[in-house]
Amino acid sequence: DAGITQSPRHKVTETGTPVTLRCHQTENHRYMYWYRQDPGHGLRLIHYSYGVKDTDKGEVSDGYSVSRSKTEDFLLTLESATSSQTSVYFCAISERERRSEAFFGQGTRLTVV
Amino acid sequence: AQSVTQLGSHVSVSEGALVLLRCNYSSSVPPYLFWYVQYPNQGLQLLLKYTSAATLVKGINGFEAEFKKSETSFHLTKPSAHMSDAAEYFCAVLNTGFQKLVFGTGTRLLVSP
């Protein structure tokens, strides 16, 4: 299994509070991604990174920010959590080659109450 | 932009029956296509991938998929379903503009004894 660790695995937070999810990899892969999974929507890309300090928005980036100060860590921050951000969040990594698949973490279940 | 459509949010089969999960893609260039499986409370695991080397792709756990350009399809099949195949399956296409996956909405496979 690819070395991807997400933390925390579960979190309950209140509306309006900031939340940071962490993704840590030991594979030295260049690309890292944050997806959210919701019933009926599959997985949707929030943000991605193509190198240290190089990030860009995905299709559902509103309300989220990311940072990547080291190759191995990719942080996802909800500046002010809302109930619509209740979801399961997955981190993924992939290598440089275009044909390579993405490897996924175990997910973080976030509930905003 | 590339996209995939999965037909049927739920598919039910009996143990030992043929499994057929449908995926159609939209792409203006030759696509790279993937099938992932997700077991309950887990991350996504790669089943197989198509990267233009061969139109019939064999994956893990007895699954295979055939790339058909004329039908813009990449359907997933398994000759004989097993109870352990019950999971959610996602088709994905690699965005040619950048190294990121675009997912379908998923198909939940139910296997009955």
Side-chain angles (χ1 to χ4, degrees), chain A residues 9 31 33 35 37 40-43 45 48 50 57-58 90 94-106 109, chain B residues 32 34 36 38 41-46 49 51-53 88 90 94-106:
Chain A
R9 293 292 314 278
Y31 300 93
Y33 314 82
Y35 287 88
Q37 182 179 20
H41 292 276
L43 280 83
L45 184 64
Y48 58 96
Y50 44 97
K57 297 178 179 180
F90 286 99
S94 67
E95 297 181 278
R96 290 181 66 91
E97 294 79 13
R98 289 198 65 251
R99 300 180 180 185
S100 65
E101 64 270 29
F103 300 94
F104 284 80
Q106 293 296 296
R109 183 173 296 277
Chain B
Y32 294 149
F34 304 80
Y36 282 85
Q38 184 182 33
N41 299 314
Q42 294 189 24
L44 278 71
Q45 177 183 2
L46 181 71
K49 63 180 180 181
T51 57
S52 75
E88 189 154 22
F90 292 93
L94 190 64
N95 182 288
T96 55
F98 196 81
Q99 180 84 354
K100 56 184 178 181
L101 286 170
V102 178
F103 285 87
T105 52

Side-chain angles (χ1 to χ4, degrees), chain B residues 27-101:
Chain B
S27 178
S28 58
V29 298
Y32 294 149
L33 295 161
F34 304 80
W35 275 101
Y36 282 85
V37 60
Q38 184 182 33
Y39 299 103
N41 299 314
Q42 294 189 24
L44 278 71
Q45 177 183 2
L46 181 71
L47 271 178
L48 50 81
K49 63 180 180 181
Y50 168 76
T51 57
S52 75
T55 57
L56 183 62
V57 181
K58 294 187 182 300
I60 62 172
N61 302 336
F63 284 93
E64 62 181 36
E66 186 173 7
F67 175 75
K68 292 187 176 181
K69 183 178 179 181
S70 61
E71 300 178 6
T72 62
S73 69
F74 189 57
H75 301 332
L76 182 70
T77 61
K78 183 175 180 178
S80 177
H82 192 272
M83 296 295 290
S84 61
D85 294 326
E88 189 154 22
Y89 293 80
F90 292 93
C91 181
V93 62
L94 190 64
N95 182 288
T96 55
F98 196 81
Q99 180 84 354
K100 56 184 178 181
L101 286 170

Side-chain angles (χ1 to χ4, degrees), chain A residues 3-33:
Chain A
I4 309 169
T5 304
Q6 291 187 231
S7 58
R9 293 292 314 278
H10 302 271
K11 186 172 183 64
V12 179
T13 191
E14 293 186 348
T15 299
T17 60
V19 177
T20 295
L21 308 182
R22 181 183 184 233
C23 178
H24 178 78
Q25 63 147 327
T26 58
E27 305 296 323
N28 199 36
H29 284 4
R30 177 182 179 186
Y31 300 93
M32 298 186 75
Y33 314 82

